[in-house]
Amino acid sequence: SRSASTLPEKQNKDGHLVKSVVITGASSGIGQAAAKRCTADGWRVFALVLPHDDVSALRANNVLLLPMDLTDADSIQQVTEKIAADIGDKGLDGLVNNAGINLPGVLEALPIEDLRRQFEVNVFGHLRLTQALLPLMRQAKKTRIVNVSSIMGKVAMPTLGAYSMSKHALEAMTDILRLELAPAIHVAAIEPGAVQTPMTDAMPKLLAAAESKLPDSLQQQYLGLFAGMKNALRTQATMAVPPEVVVNAIWHALTADKPRTRYVPGAAAKGLLIMRKFAPDAVGDMILRRVLGIN
């Protein structure tokens, strides 16, 4: 990885002070695209990645690669100290909480350990990192926190319950932080649907693996549900939006004079959100089951 001395100087080519941003889950997908966008626009990017992630796509960009495990408090503290040493008293201008995992399975058979792991990464890890970085963020002006949530933070999906629950929690965390940190720090949520990322590509296989682990007594009970969801996920993957569409929303949340509190990139995600917002639960459930091909 690059050392701090190879990062941009304190002023960019336009003579403006360089802004700095921390992006988690930066080795691929949305995080990688966001890191490249921010770097291209002259920002100092601290790209947080897992220790064994493939970071070859980021090495050509002028970012500081920092290995970190969101579930490890000591790892977060070490990274925070490195960032603080690099930016000095200038302060941190942005934090993009993007990293996440998806552990599929029906709730009846989901190991509680898996649910804990889901929340450790998608919720607790982000809050722990946010807490660590807030003193640095308070030193900057117009600081922003952007939480990359999901449309499943608003519209829960069967067989993806742990992920949906964690994203609902992240939505609540976003609302609370927005109220508690205002007006000094603006907090926004990004709520995309299917995005062209390795996670989206892997979901049908992960779902099949979760189905194979069901006890024999439950195999017949959930046969139709898993079949419908696997087909639905394959279809969604063909209609997934490029990561850059989500990055445009992240960039607006980081830089706009009047950022929104929520962004919903993609027409499919907007449709689901409207359906759940205006349709009664029973009607919404019926529509969702038909869309997903679930009997």
Side-chain angles (χ1 to χ4, degrees), residues 12 21 23-24 43 76 87 91 95 103 106 109-110 113 118 122 168 180 186 195 216 221 252 286:
N12 61 22
V21 61
I23 302 175
T24 67
W43 282 48
I76 289 177
I87 62 178
L95 166 62
L103 301 177
V106 293
L110 186 74
E113 292 75 17
Q118 185 77 80
N122 290 17
H168 272 70
E180 292 180 348
H186 182 81
V195 185
D216 293 341
Q221 174 71 28
H252 189 275
M286 180 183 66

Side-chain angles (χ1 to χ4, degrees), residues 6-277:
T6 63
L7 289 172
E9 297 297 327
K10 293 299 181 182
Q11 290 188 343
N12 61 22
K13 61 184 179 181
D14 298 320
H16 299 127
L17 289 177
V18 171
K19 290 183 177 291
S20 57
V21 61
V22 170
I23 302 175
T24 67
S27 61
S28 64
I30 296 169
Q32 183 185 112
K36 290 180 178 179
R37 171 67 181 273
C38 291
T39 301
D41 280 273
W43 282 48
R44 179 182 297 250
V45 175
F46 300 94
L48 273 51
V49 298
L50 285 170
H52 303 295
D53 280 349
D54 179 5
V55 294
S56 55
L58 286 174
R59 290 192 184 280
N61 292 269
N62 212 356
V63 303
L64 181 60
L65 297 168
L66 294 175
M68 190 196 73
D69 183 348
L70 271 176
T71 66
D72 186 334
D74 290 338
S75 178
I76 289 177
Q77 183 58 35
Q78 291 168 11
V79 163
T80 300
E81 291 172 359
K82 290 179 181 178
I83 295 171
D86 185 87
I87 62 178
D89 60 1
K90 178 179 175 291
L92 181 65
D93 299 286
L95 166 62
V96 180
N97 286 314
N98 164 73
I101 59 173
N102 192 339
L103 301 177
V106 293
L107 291 185
E108 182 176 1
L110 186 74
I112 295 300
E113 292 75 17
D114 285 358
L115 186 59
R116 284 198 183 99
R117 170 70 177 169
Q118 185 77 80
F119 271 73
E120 280 292 342
V121 176
N122 290 17
V123 184
F124 306 146
H126 290 317
L127 180 56
R128 190 180 290 116
L129 179 64
T130 301
Q131 290 173 336
L133 292 177
L134 272 172
L136 301 180
M137 302 184 76
R138 292 187 186 281
Q139 298 175 15
K141 295 181 179 179
K142 294 186 178 180
T143 307
R144 309 285 170 84
I145 296 174
V146 183
N147 292 329
V148 180
S149 180
S150 165
I151 193 61
M152 279 186 268
K154 293 293 187 180
V155 184
M157 293 288 180
T159 73
L160 302 176
Y163 184 79
S164 296
M165 290 164 68
S166 72
K167 292 300 185 179
H168 272 70
L170 186 63
E171 290 283 336
M173 189 179 97
T174 301
D175 289 342
I176 295 164
L177 287 174
R178 189 178 67 251
L179 290 168
E180 292 180 348
L181 300 179
I185 300 174
H186 182 81
V187 186
I190 313 294
E191 304 165 346
V195 185
Q196 294 171 8
T197 65
M199 180 185 289
T200 298
D201 294 339
M203 279 314 301
K205 288 184 178 180
L206 292 175
L207 202 59
E211 182 182 16
S212 70
K213 296 177 182 177
L214 281 177
D216 293 341
S217 60
L218 295 178
Q219 287 285 344
Q220 190 62 35
Q221 174 71 28
Y222 290 110
L223 183 65
L225 176 61
F226 273 97
M229 283 302 297
K230 283 184 285 187
N231 287 332
L233 288 172
R234 292 189 189 99
T235 300
Q236 287 180 17
T238 65
M239 301 184 295
V241 300
E244 289 73 19
V245 173
V246 183
V247 170
N248 287 339
I250 294 173
W251 183 249
H252 189 275
L254 283 174
T255 63
D257 289 336
K258 294 181 179 180
R260 305 170 198 165
T261 58
R262 283 183 169 80
Y263 297 78
V264 187
K270 288 184 175 70
L272 283 172
L273 190 61
I274 291 171
M275 180 271 291
R276 271 305 187 200
K277 184 175 182 179

